[in-house]
Amino acid sequence: MRILVAEDDAYVRQLLKKTLLRAGYDVLEATDGRAALECLLSVDGPRLVLLDRFMPELNGLSLCREIRRCTKHSYVYIIFLTSKGCKEDVLSGLAAGADDCLTKPCNPQELKALLRAGERILKLEDTIVHDALHDPLTRLPNRPFFLDRLSLSVSRGKRHPDYKFAVLFVDIDNFRVVNDSLGNAAGDWLLTQFAERLGRSIRREDAISRSMNAGPTLDRQDGGGILARLGGDRFTILLDDIQDPSDGIRVAERIQRNIQCPFAIDGQEVFITASTGIAFGSTGCSAAENVLSDAFTAMNRAKALGKSRYEVCDPVMHAAAVGRFRLETDLRRALEREEFRAYYQPIVSLGDGRITGFEALMRWQRPKFGLVMPSGFISVTEDTGLILGMGNWVLRKACRQLCVWNKQFPSNRAFTVAVNLSARQFAQPDLVGQIAQILYESGVAPFDLRLELTESVTMEDEERAARIFGELKTLGVRLCLDDFGTGYSSLSYLRRFSLDVLKIDRSFVSDMVSNTESREIVKTILRLGGNLGIEVIAEGVETAEQVSLLQSLGCEYAQGYFFSEPLDQSDVAQTLLLLGASDYSMPQGFPIQAVSPASQ
Ligand code: C2E
Ligand code: CA
Ligand code: CA
């Protein structure tokens, strides 16, 4: 137990400290009243204090009164130190709020006895406080406790715009029937069992595995949540610091699942269901009571709509949260159900119109939704870590496909294939090993594989990025900086990380014909690439004007709808067949797109 000795006389302080240390206390010291007060009122400050009557800054009596005024703080047990024979000091000390008095010089036996009495009082206080904030039946936090925590979340939400939390209001359906037919004791037993299953439902297994996958950088503090019993068969859950509203839905789904199994009561199996209302709190929310009442209203709607279900307070939010939850659920199955597709967009040499390679771009054939573009799912797979499995899949797929084409369409130079790698994939500890393995399995020559990265991959840890880049280069793989010009570190970046290819971002290419500023940027990038011996590809080329401007600026390679949209593998093969036997170049000004439009 920690104890504060507030005493300005160094000699007395040392004597007391010695006795206390010998008795097993953890001793803190203060030499004036102000410091003592600060120490006692700090978070997790000591709850036992030996307080001298006379001290600089703030005397013992004022300090006593000050502490007793702070009712929010846990109780501090105060032993007042007075001089021998001064009865008045004792009385004024007790009147100011001290719990006991001890005359100096202190008798060690007497001191220890007083401290033991103090500890007993503090323990009792803890029990009282605990009981006041907990439900005796389930031992869960009660309504005041819950509201207190909820208001902390509400005020945190006001300070941090990104902070989100959810409140779930869970009510057992037809609980009265159980109570009336089986008796109150059975009802109580059911409530404790139910509470236990709710507790299990808020443990965030997937949140934990998510942050583990993300590596140390994305690590979040996932406290799980606070489960409380408001009274009767009503329970509430506070999910603190969630990433997305769908996290609330996930817990609600888990509750439904966890209460499906029957409850054993007096040798009987009892089936119950529950209705859950969900409310979300973020920057705009006003008070704890309002969030709770939103969740309550949503719970009532769940009851009205037929019970055994969950509802979100705001219908728009409901649709969004459920939509995101389904998206995530579907994505989790997409890989094993082989719903992902790799599309390939040709990269064309502006000198002779020859196709030099392809960029692999992911699509998702989602049942009932059709072909989904990356903008509809990539960010979710990054949040959930699903990108890791998916990324490996597309890498393997693209490498195999490249081998097939290089055999089927032998040309002077082999085609290359570019695969996108997101920051999260880049953060994997065994990235290089995985890539080496895939290269080995597929038989692709390492220098025909290009990894497309954005500047974001190096933001977390430049040292590591430089090392991985080096290892990949040693492997023989080519590195390509995607979306170039949109980041901020441009020049120094190129020097530091020896890159092979730059891709000029589509935004500059698309308006370079009309906008001089964009044209200047494109020119600068081309010059930069030329000076550093880096290959440059212009992305998003859509018009003949753009092609001729790029040619006049000396840009060697381009990619875009003008030549071809991303195509599936059979459309690529068909295009190559049409283009002819040896060089696969398209006639000047003749877009491949006209030959084989991709159906998207
Ligand atoms: P990105 O790497 O910048 O890919 C180029 C995007 O521009 C592709 O969009 C492509 O279809 C589109 N595009 C190509 N030519 C033109 C054009 O002339 N005009 C216009 N307006 N757009 C053009 P897509 O396929 O929708 O992919 C979007 C982004 O999703 C990609 O941007 C990439 O960041 C990401 N992505 C796609 N596939 C993968 C993947 O397998 N792994 C990872 N990590 N990310 C991927
Ligand atoms: Ca790319
Ligand atoms: Ca790009």
Side-chain angles (χ1 to χ4, degrees), residues 44 63 65 78 138 159 170 245 248 293 302 331 337 377 387 462 513 533 536 548 569:
D44 281 331
L63 205 159
R65 285 190 209 103
I78 304 173
T138 59
R159 277 176 283 124
V170 190
S293 110
L331 271 171
R337 294 189 180 174
F377 64 94
I387 188 75
E462 275 210 18
V513 174
V536 180
S548 41
Q569 61 196 53

Side-chain angles (χ1 to χ4, degrees), residues 359 361 420 452 482-483 503 539:
E359 174 177 5
L361 294 159
N420 293 285
E452 295 201 357
D482 209 347
D483 306 337
K503 280 194 152 180
E539 267 195 312

Side-chain angles (χ1 to χ4, degrees), residues 35 125 141 220-221 273 468:
E125 199 236 352
R220 295 173 55 247
Q221 289 263 306
T273 59
I468 305 283

Side-chain angles (χ1 to χ4, degrees), residues 551-563:
Q551 280 171 329
S552 73
L553 295 176
C555 178
E556 277 186 284
Y557 301 94
Q559 173 184 354
Y561 294 167
F562 176 77
F563 306 106

